[in-house]
Amino acid sequence: MVENGTYTGTAQGHNAKITVAVTLEDEKISQVEVTDEHETALLSANALKIIPQKIVDNQSTTVDAVTGATFTSNGILKAARSALSQAGATAIEFTAKEQITKQQHNITTDVVVLGTGLAGLDAAVTAKEAGADVVLIEKTGRLGGNSVVSGGFMYATGSKFNKEEENDPAGLVKFYEDFAAKEGGNIDHDLIKEVAENSGSAVDYYADKYGVEFTAMPLGISKKPKTHVNLEKGPVAIMGPVIKRVRELEIPIIYDQTHEKIKTENGQVSGIATSGKYADYDINCKAVVIAVGGFDGSQTVRDKYAPSAQGTRSLSTPYDNADYIDITSNLHAATEFKDGVMGIVTANYLSVDGGANGLIITGKALAVNNLGKRFTKEGQHYSLMYNDAKKSAGNKFFWIFDQNNASYDAASQMPEAKKCASLQEVAKLIGSDLQTLQRTVADYNDAATNGDADFGRDDIVPVASDGPYYVIEGYPTTVAGFGGLKITPDAQVLDTSNQPIAGVYAAGEAASGQLFVHTYPATGTMLTVCTVFGRIAGQNAAEYAKE
């Protein structure tokens, strides 16, 4: 028998411990409240709201997690279980399996937007403000897609934040096309021109409409201040206001819909049928915007469309699985893939926000593989370090922070960092022979004075002769897949005969195949692509629906 009262429990969430207070009245759970958490803003919002209510409704801690926020969901459930144990609950009390009664719904609207990353949310807001009725469909149980866990960067020329120093759309087009040519490929001129010419206004859109303050800076490949970011809030500065606007406009959001198929009648889009865990929907509509993300969250799909990424990790959700192909299969939609991914190097497998990840990307420490040899130009753009790691003869990668490195103190505080008293201990940790590592360090130190003939770095600081050293292991990791539906500059999906499909639009990662080849060219490009074509798709879908 449980004792009535309020009890607290704590368990590990995604980022840190989660504390939950459970109140029992008449030996039943009357309230569950999350009293302390440090989860990623927006990413965990639905889980923090929904899971406590599920526990109360089902009188059980055996309820399904919010898809897309599993770690947060499970943290709440385990913390609640701990609280119940303190109240005297046995191991089997309050553990009945969640009861799900699947429902069927019929809806009529003007525009359906599939996906709630930045491209989908911008499309929905734009369509709604253009006078269309809009419904948002989301595969997971949360909003934001990959955009909400991105760095929040936008790459642009001619914005109010950089136009005095950088206002050259034609130059930006040339940069992207030259970058593609160096990889032996090409990109669609009209589409990349659309991105470049609207990049500055895309940044200004968030500044003017939502009050987002950006800092424009040179970053990575670019030596000019084209990379825009809100230094305080990162992606939340953009995504937070957009999500708030969706709610202000009262745009319906249907979660957990993992199977969708566009319906047609007499050759025209007539609606979309969706299926999910809790409900199925038969929606009548006139236009559809597809912004469902990429393909690198599924290893099988990624191996098919980006075989060069085999063996790497992915930080994308399993729902990034190229489902846009099935969604449009009856429309004979055209696709384009070029074996391209957004590759980075990560220390922390769970989150791109981890401090150790930032250190290995920007810390400029000596980087070696498990053979004890350098494999990359440390501190260069993360996409290029990813490529170098993939080409390396070694299969593990390590960043060695010594007392001369500016990030040494920060590295010493990272839980991923391993402390080594000497280079001999470093060699043992990484699995190389000591002589090879010592020769690598000697050559690296010599390059600080005489030039880096191997990799071209001009800012090498010699490695300290004495320890301790902090070593962080890094992994080549994908966070996006370049490919998807082919579109026009109006964001209209093309069929296999290269003809636009009436009423069907696409944006974001789901329509990125014409804009990239193998390698990500510049930090912030993807979010700019998302908002440029998301807004174009929303506007054109609304206009088509009103015809």
Side-chain angles (χ1 to χ4, degrees), residues 306-431:
S308 66
Q310 290 185 21
T312 65
R313 295 178 166 190
S314 173
L315 285 181
S316 296
T317 75
Y319 299 95
D320 285 315
N321 57 8
D323 52 349
Y324 42 75
I325 294 176
D326 287 339
I327 292 169
T328 60
S329 60
N330 60 323
L331 305 178
H332 306 291
T335 59
E336 185 166 335
F337 297 91
K338 306 189 189 88
D339 190 14
V341 296
M342 187 187 299
I344 64 174
V345 286
T346 61
N348 181 352
Y349 184 46
L350 298 179
S351 172
V352 294
D353 295 328
N357 294 330
L359 286 181
I360 63 177
I361 290 173
T362 63
K364 299 185 178 181
L366 168 63
V368 299
N369 57 25
N370 60 305
L371 305 178
K373 299 180 179 180
R374 286 180 76 196
F375 66 92
T376 192
K377 179 181 179 181
E378 301 90 348
Q380 69 177 330
H381 194 261
Y382 50 78
S383 64
L384 302 181
M385 284 199 285
Y386 166 89
N387 286 349
D388 289 344
K390 285 295 297 173
K391 292 185 292 186
S392 172
N395 56 26
K396 290 187 176 181
F397 309 93
F398 304 87
W399 278 255
I400 303 170
F401 292 85
D402 66 282
Q403 297 178 59
N404 293 342
N405 187 279
S407 298
Y408 176 79
D409 289 340
S412 71
Q413 302 300 311
M414 296 297 155
E416 298 92 342
K418 305 299 182 183
K419 185 178 181 180
C420 297
S422 64
L423 285 178
Q424 184 174 5
E425 288 190 12
V426 173
K428 183 178 179 180
L429 174 68
I430 69 177

Side-chain angles (χ1 to χ4, degrees), residues 430-445:
I430 69 177
S432 76
D433 66 86
L434 176 59
Q435 291 73 25
T436 299
L437 180 62
Q438 288 175 327
R439 186 163 55 250
T440 296
V441 171
D443 291 344
Y444 183 82
N445 289 350

Side-chain angles (χ1 to χ4, degrees), residues 374 378 443-445 447-449 451-452 457-463:
R374 286 180 76 196
E378 301 90 348
D443 291 344
Y444 183 82
N445 289 350
T449 303
D452 184 11
R457 267 188 69 185
D458 58 7
D459 57 355
I460 291 176
V461 176
V463 172

Side-chain angles (χ1 to χ4, degrees), residues 298-311:
S298 163
Q299 181 176 327
T300 301
V301 177
R302 190 186 65 175
D303 287 352
K304 177 178 180 179
Y305 293 119
S308 66
Q310 290 185 21

